[in-house]
Amino acid sequence: MEQTAQNPIPQTGASPDRKSSGRIASVQGPVVDVRFYEGEPSPAVYDCIETWTYDSKKVVLQCAEHLGHGLVRCVALQETLNLQQNAPCFCTYQPIAVPIGDGCFGRVMDTSGRPLDNGGPFENCPNLTPIRQPVKEVTFDLKSKKREIPELLETGIKYVDLLYPLVKGSRTGVIGGAGCGKTVIILELINNIVKAHGGACVFTGIGERIREGNELYYELHESHLLHKVMLAFGQMDQPPGTRAEVVNTGLTMAEYLVAKNKDVLLFMDNLYRFVQGGQEVSTILGRVPAETGYQPTMASEVNAVQERIRSVDGGGSITAMQAVYVPADDMTDPAVVAIFSTLDGNIVLSRDLVQRGMYPAIDPLQSSCANLDPVVVGKRHFMLSQEVIQHFNKHNALKRIVAVIGIEELSKTDQLVYKRAEKLYNFMTQPFAVSEVFTGKKGEYVLLEDNIEGCERILAGDYDQLEGADFYMIGKAPRI
């Protein structure tokens, strides 16, 4: 039996002309059941329902499933503390919508569009945009024989530009365990792209630490980059529904900029937490998990997100860099594999390289990129990259032998290859602008031509008289 609330529910924030369409039947953590009045239409799945706690805090609920007889099960996007049974609810009969416009630059919002930066309401955002949008259809013109060649996006990071080039409209994952430097690489990319290309960026914080979001905000402010970045955060202290949906808020921001014919860089940190949020939502709704323990709909959820990242006809593109946490450094984890299969490139970070102080700690033998193609990067770049990877492969095969018997016991040819590979590993390290405070070295933006020239000279033997340490944490190759 439903009980009548003892205290009246304050309607702060609710419009006086709005009619209550239901009342809260039960609250179980982030799961809220709402019973709709007889004769009132039930909301569709993903529709937004608003209610208030007894201390006047607004709580947004998202319809998840129908239980029958007017009872709807919802997932809360804010804390449900102090929600009362029988409290009135107001159904919008629309999906969650957020204010999107040029006024979002330099501002931070949560999943439901509330400002998180104490900056007041969003200005120049007259309309609310639903965060769940259908993917636009792709059309093909078979009569046109013109093949569009993807456009390269220079990042100034040597490893990325040489071996894992970004093209507009691509999806690249930065994959690694805790403490391997995923966030640092993404922050450096924001710094370089905004400064070098004047591009627009969207940063989506998915289930990450509040401290990291706070540091990012002030770093962008101190670097005079904040006015070029839109930010959406669903942090780890918030309910799982928020962490599962904030990725759609970030995508909606990016799609707004693409509609204005802009090339957008979308940074998502961390996509694994999106899967984890969906897993928690699936569990609290009582759904039977798959054999691996994840939600049975994991693959379709990941693909629905990735399909919204693309170039569009008439100009404009979304280029995504996605940090992916690898639980227990297990690259065969089902969530990691599901995300892997949707990406154009995978940049895998190595804990072994971190321990050796090789930053960025990118493992060139585990990473891959579909954009590394002669048609996209040119024959010279492609052939050089293959030669560099061959040297890394040979180094990997020889390093255990060298550890046992020493480099002097190798053949002259193998000694040359091993030493040049050591120089390449060191040359690929780079001081980052965002880590100047920790390293004491000024950040370096390395042009692609300087990057290619340096690698060519190392492989040609121009630096055979130098040691590998001479190339550690430098920008361009030294002149001799």
Side-chain angles (χ1 to χ4, degrees), residues 224-259:
H224 307 289
L225 302 174
L226 193 58
H227 67 288
K228 285 285 189 177
V229 185
M230 296 181 179
L231 301 104
F233 284 156
Q235 298 301 91
M236 63 166 52
D237 68 317
Q238 295 183 293
T242 300
R243 288 180 268 124
E245 287 295 325
V246 71
V247 65
N248 291 312
T249 304
L251 283 166
T252 305
M253 290 176 169
E255 288 170 345
Y256 162 77
L257 295 170
V258 167

Side-chain angles (χ1 to χ4, degrees), residues 157-173:
I157 299 176
K158 287 184 280 191
Y159 253 132
V160 175
D161 288 340
L162 183 69
L163 300 179
Y164 322 107
L166 297 185
V167 300
K168 293 180 179 179
S170 65
R171 302 179 288 266
T172 303

